[in-house]
RNA sequence: GUCCCCUUCGUCUAGAGGCCUAGGACACCGGGUUUUCAUCCCGGCAACGGGGGUUCGAAACCCCCAGGGGACGCCA
């Protein structure tokens, strides 16, 4: 039997997501249960959004959780490189095969044409998708257009009729009509492959035996299978996991939940507890015990025990489990060590001390001044935000805009935070000190504290966002309707700011 | 809108046709231990989405409906 090889293939386009860790956990667990290999591949074919910082953050977050891999961009391996941006030559030779066999074709349609096509299809309520316009081009026409340097993409052909039938390890037979499948772009106009193409090529050459991924991929599986068929390769076995959910059952998102692994680290969760908690999303030990290690999970793993209902990521239960780990797994010596490592990282303390030094007359003043750097969410109430000029509504708006602005920052540095606040104060036509007032309360729990801008920089985006969101919730929250209006206003503001 | 997936307590789940009067855990409520609180222990509340079949028997199997979710990008 073929050796089991699974992978996690994150895209380095944002914060390390708990959903990535969740899927990684099950892939790794399955591979190790079968004495196979678990590998990590970076899918950075989106040149615009991929960043090396994000890649580093993702690797370190997965490492923090103990989700180690035996092959990856950092450790190498026999199928290196493990970063798609370094594998371009391979995609180029592979796409040629599909063009030769007429399974792929050049498409010169403009974005404008595709847009109006889609609009027309929507209006006629017919299926939305590429209409095969460039399929009619002769070989000579194509050659000419390429020779003149006309911008183009490469798409895959899709059968006109029939169904794609495949078997999912968890869900059994799934049948999707080819008419539902669009002629997917395989190579973008920048010459780089899309996810669908690179993913199939790499999974083949990296000898991936089982693809365990989120159920959001079910509908594109036919494309992937078809590519394997076009190439004459053996396809892996697919297994689509349920998606982690927000409390309202929608797909877990940072708008509604802390999704960044960094948040859980910065809040002082133990990696063992977080990974245990993820392991009980959709899966249970045969004997029903809830506290277990990754090793115990591997020893008892049974993929068929996965339940398919989308599990709600419920922080309350994670809190209980984390407390259980702290109480039961840490003796006092270990507690001291881990707590100190978490709280007193030299680099961090070095940044905090200058902020409080001028305010300290005795060392006994330090803890009250700096406590909020070591805390989770401050204890605040709506009355904490009472202000002589700003209404509660204005304050909620400020807080929300600040969150959205912070999320756009490339580099969450003190200076960027400051200029963001200044810009926002201008745009909202309030004084900077008034704009900052709700931030002081939200971040430190008090209207007076150390520089809130420096504090935010030290706390980092994950904790900052959680506190700002908590403040909004304390003020009664923002209704859906209100949120829509704010989003529109925010976009307008952003556009005018861009034009400056 | 079209297609696909899913559906047991508020939440995570057990359940592979009779062991189900549906079990455990979190949360919540009550009680006990504790100088207080927390921990810990004990107890309580609370669910098979609806309708049809199949069967001697359905939470479990089939069909329909409803609800939820996802996909429909030169993002992954």
């Amino acid at each position: 039997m073929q050796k089991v090889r699974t992978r996690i293939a994150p895209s380095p386009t944002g914060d390390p997501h708990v959903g990535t860790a969740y899927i990684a956990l099950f892939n790794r667990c399955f591979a190790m249960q079968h004495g196979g290999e678990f590998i990590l591949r970076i899918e950075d074919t989106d040149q615009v959004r991929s960043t090396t910082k994000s890649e580093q953050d993702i690797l370190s977050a997965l490492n923090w959780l103990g989700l180690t891999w035996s092959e990856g961009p950092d450790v190498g391996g026999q199928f290196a490189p493990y970063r798609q941006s370094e594998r371009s030559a391979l995609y180029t030779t592979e796409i040629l095969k599909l063009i030769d066999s007429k399974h792929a074709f050049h498409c010169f349609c403009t974005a404008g044409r595709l847009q109006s096509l889609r609009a027309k299809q929507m209006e006629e309520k017919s299926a939305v998708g590429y209409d095969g316009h460039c399929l009619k081009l002769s070989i000579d026409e194509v050659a000419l257009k390429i020779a003149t340097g006309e911008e183009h993409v490469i798409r895959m052909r899709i059968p006109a009729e029939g169904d794609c039938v495949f078997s999912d390890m968890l869900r059994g037979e799934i049948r999707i009509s080819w008419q539902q499948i669009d002629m997917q772009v395989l190579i973008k106009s920048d010459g780089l492959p899309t996810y669908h193409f690179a993913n199939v090529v790499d999974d083949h050459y990296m000898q991936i035996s089982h693809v365990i991924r989120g159920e959001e991929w079910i509908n594109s599986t036919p494309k992937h299978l078809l590519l394997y068929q076009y190439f004459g390769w053996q396809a892996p076995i697919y297994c689509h996991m349920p998606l982690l959910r927000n409390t309202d059952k929608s797909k877990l998102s940072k708008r509604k939940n802390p999704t960044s692994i960094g948040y859980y680290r910065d809040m002082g969760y133990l990696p063992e507890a977080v990974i245990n908690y993820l392991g009980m999303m959709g899966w249970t030990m045969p004997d029903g015990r809830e506290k277990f290690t990754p090793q115990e999970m591997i020893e008892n793993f049974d993929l068929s025990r996965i339940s398919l209902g989308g599990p709600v990521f419920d922080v309350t239960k994670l809190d209980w489990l984390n407390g259980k780990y702290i109480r039961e797994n840490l003796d006092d010596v270990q507690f001291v060590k881990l707590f100190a490592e978490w709280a007193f990282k030299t680099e961090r303390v070095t940044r905090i001390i200058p902020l409080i030094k001028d305010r300290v007359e005795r060392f006994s003043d330090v803890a009250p001044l700096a406590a909020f750097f070591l805390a989770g969410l401050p204890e605040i109430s709506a009355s904490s935000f009472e202000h002589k000029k700003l209404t509660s509504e204005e304050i909620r708006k400020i807080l929300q805009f600040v969150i959205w602005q912070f999320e756009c920052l490339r580099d969450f540095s003190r200076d960027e935070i400051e200029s963001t606040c200044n810009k926002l104060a201008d745009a909202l036509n309030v004084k900077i000190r008034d704009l900052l007032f709700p931030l002081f309360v939200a971040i430190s729990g008090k209207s007076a504290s150390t520089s809130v801008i420096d504090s935010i920089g030290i706390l980092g985006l994950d904790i900052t966002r959680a506190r700002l969101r908590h403040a909004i919730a304390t003020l009664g929250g923002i209704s859906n309707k209100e949120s829509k209006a704010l989003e529109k206003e925010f976009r307008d503001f952003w556009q005018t700011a861009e034009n400056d």
Side-chain angles (χ1 to χ4, degrees), chain A residues 3-168:
Chain A
K3 187 169 187 186
V4 172
R5 288 174 55 85
T6 63
R7 45 72 169 175
I8 183 72
S11 168
T13 52
D15 295 331
H17 198 280
V18 288
T20 306
Y22 175 60
I23 299 296
L25 171 66
F26 281 83
N27 270 287
R28 183 174 182 275
C29 195
F30 181 77
M32 297 187 77
Q33 178 200 19
H34 293 283
E37 301 293 336
F38 169 64
I39 77 172
L40 183 139
R41 180 174 72 227
I42 293 293
E43 308 226 327
D44 55 351
T45 54
D46 184 339
Q47 272 187 305
V48 180
R49 296 197 305 146
S50 296
T51 64
T52 52
K53 168 160 195 309
S54 172
E55 179 185 316
Q56 284 159 4
D57 288 349
I58 290 168
L59 298 202
S60 80
L62 293 177
N63 269 129
W64 178 68
L65 288 169
L67 293 170
T68 53
W69 46 93
S70 58
E71 297 166 33
D74 53 340
V75 293
Q78 60 174 319
F79 301 105
Y82 290 90
R83 205 177 274 120
Q84 290 184 330
S85 57
E86 295 166 13
R87 299 169 66 80
S88 299
L90 176 64
Y91 310 125
T92 306
T93 59
E94 294 304 319
I95 196 67
L96 253 24
K97 293 186 193 168
L98 295 188
I99 292 171
D100 282 350
S101 61
K102 301 273 191 290
H103 289 131
F105 61 97
H106 294 86
C107 169
F108 302 87
C109 293
T110 60
R113 179 177 183 272
L114 295 174
Q115 207 172 355
S116 58
L117 174 69
R118 195 166 304 142
K120 199 177 131 206
Q121 286 167 333
M122 295 277 237
E123 199 182 319
E124 291 171 356
K125 288 185 177 154
S126 55
V128 175
Y130 187 63
D131 59 356
H133 181 75
C134 290
L135 226 30
K136 297 182 211 107
L137 263 30
S138 72
I139 294 173
D140 293 341
E141 283 171 311
V142 170
L144 183 68
K145 280 172 180 286
I146 293 174
T148 57
E150 199 168 314
E151 192 165 89
H152 64 277
V153 300
I154 298 172
R155 291 177 182 272
M156 71 186 288
R157 270 183 192 265
I158 301 291
E161 49 194 36
D163 294 341
C164 173
V165 183
F166 64 96
S167 175
D168 179 280

Side-chain angles (χ1 to χ4, degrees), chain A residues 22 189 265 378:
Chain A
Y22 175 60
S189 56
R265 188 193 53 222

Side-chain angles (χ1 to χ4, degrees), chain A residues 257-310:
Chain A
N257 252 303
T259 57
S260 165
I261 298 169
Y263 169 81
Y264 296 92
R265 188 193 53 222
D266 294 349
M267 280 294 276
Y269 289 88
L270 298 176
E272 294 84 355
V274 176
I275 205 71
N276 186 162
Y277 182 67
L278 289 174
M280 57 201 256
M281 299 273 88
W283 190 78
T284 46
M285 283 290 243
D287 64 2
R289 97 187 95 129
E290 299 201 282
K291 191 180 171 210
F292 52 86
T293 63
Q295 187 53 39
E296 288 166 335
M297 185 173 171
I298 290 163
E299 284 159 15
N300 293 278
F301 193 61
D302 178 359
L303 203 101
S304 67
R305 286 183 66 80
I306 291 174
S307 55
L308 295 174

Side-chain angles (χ1 to χ4, degrees), chain A residues 54 91 103 140 172 180 207 220 376 393 402 492:
Chain A
S54 172
Y91 310 125
H103 289 131
D140 293 341
Q180 288 298 318
Q207 297 180 16
S220 37
E393 197 187 344
V402 168
D492 294 346

Side-chain angles (χ1 to χ4, degrees), chain A residues 166-463:
Chain A
F166 64 96
S167 175
D168 179 280
M169 259 178 118
L170 289 172
R171 297 157 202 264
E173 187 180 293
I174 295 176
R175 176 182 299 266
I176 296 173
S177 162
W178 287 117
Q179 287 170 5
Q180 288 298 318
I181 312 295
D182 199 7
M183 293 180 230
Q184 179 64 47
V185 171
L186 299 178
I187 302 288
K188 299 179 275 185
S189 56
D190 64 4
L192 291 181
T194 56
Y195 163 85
H196 303 280
F197 187 63
N199 185 265
V200 164
V201 170
D202 286 342
D203 280 347
H204 170 72
Y205 282 106
M206 294 182 182
Q207 297 180 16
I208 299 304
S209 63
H210 299 259
V211 170
I212 302 171
R213 59 181 8 171
E215 68 177 317
E216 55 198 327
W217 295 109
I218 291 178
N219 287 293
S220 37
T221 303
K223 291 172 196 170
H224 304 163
L225 252 8
L226 189 60
L227 285 172
Y228 281 100
Q229 196 188 312
Y230 284 168
F231 279 119
W233 296 337
Q234 198 198 342
I237 294 165
Y238 287 100
C239 172
H240 292 96
M241 296 284 295
L243 256 24
L244 259 25
R245 311 291 185 95
N246 296 312
T247 319
D248 65 3
K249 300 276 189 183
S250 57
K251 177 169 145 179
L252 192 66
S253 64
K254 72 175 173 192
R255 280 283 157 93
K256 297 176 180 171
N257 252 303
T259 57
S260 165
I261 298 169
Y263 169 81
Y264 296 92
R265 188 193 53 222
D266 294 349
M267 280 294 276
Y269 289 88
L270 298 176
E272 294 84 355
V274 176
I275 205 71
N276 186 162
Y277 182 67
L278 289 174
M280 57 201 256
M281 299 273 88
W283 190 78
T284 46
M285 283 290 243
D287 64 2
R289 97 187 95 129
E290 299 201 282
K291 191 180 171 210
F292 52 86
T293 63
Q295 187 53 39
E296 288 166 335
M297 185 173 171
I298 290 163
E299 284 159 15
N300 293 278
F301 193 61
D302 178 359
L303 203 101
S304 67
R305 286 183 66 80
I306 291 174
S307 55
L308 295 174
V312 171
F313 191 91
D314 176 15
V315 184
T316 311
K317 189 154 186 175
L318 170 61
D319 287 343
W320 163 77
L321 189 65
N322 197 61
K324 200 171 162 67
Y325 267 82
I326 287 178
R327 271 175 259 125
E328 296 175 3
N329 289 24
L330 302 183
D331 62 31
D332 293 356
V333 175
Q334 290 169 306
F335 187 105
V336 168
K337 182 171 175 285
L338 290 178
F339 172 70
E341 281 170 8
W342 176 80
F344 306 124
K345 284 195 286 283
T346 311
E347 188 266 340
R348 187 174 142 99
V349 175
T350 309
R351 292 172 73 190
I352 295 173
I353 295 306
L355 297 182
I356 57 167
K357 202 171 154 198
D358 287 345
R359 300 164 188 256
V360 167
E361 292 175 327
R362 296 151 301 222
F363 286 148
S364 54
D365 296 328
V366 171
L369 282 168
F372 74 93
F373 285 108
L374 300 180
L377 301 176
E379 278 182 42
I380 47 176
S381 66
S383 61
S384 315
F385 290 93
E386 275 169 22
H387 188 265
K388 56 184 189 298
K389 288 189 201 154
L390 299 169
T391 65
S392 163
E393 197 187 344
E394 287 168 323
I395 288 178
R396 292 202 308 263
K397 177 163 147 186
I398 288 171
L399 293 168
Q400 183 60 72
F401 276 23
V402 168
I403 293 176
W404 287 340
Q405 277 289 39
F406 282 177
E407 284 173 348
C408 299
L409 293 183
R410 295 173 299 279
D411 172 26
F412 202 64
S413 67
R414 177 209 178 272
D415 291 347
E416 285 214 22
I417 292 162
E418 182 176 36
S419 71
T420 297
C421 290
N422 280 324
K423 254 196 293 184
L424 217 39
D426 272 0
L428 294 171
N429 202 23
V430 297
K431 284 191 180 150
I432 183 71
R433 63 180 295 150
D434 290 335
L435 180 116
L436 256 20
F437 162 76
L439 298 192
F440 273 99
V441 178
I443 298 299
S444 73
K446 287 176 287 192
S447 55
S449 78
T450 58
S451 154
V452 74
I453 287 173
D454 288 289
S455 304
I456 286 171
I458 292 168
L459 286 165
L461 177 59
D462 293 328
I463 296 293

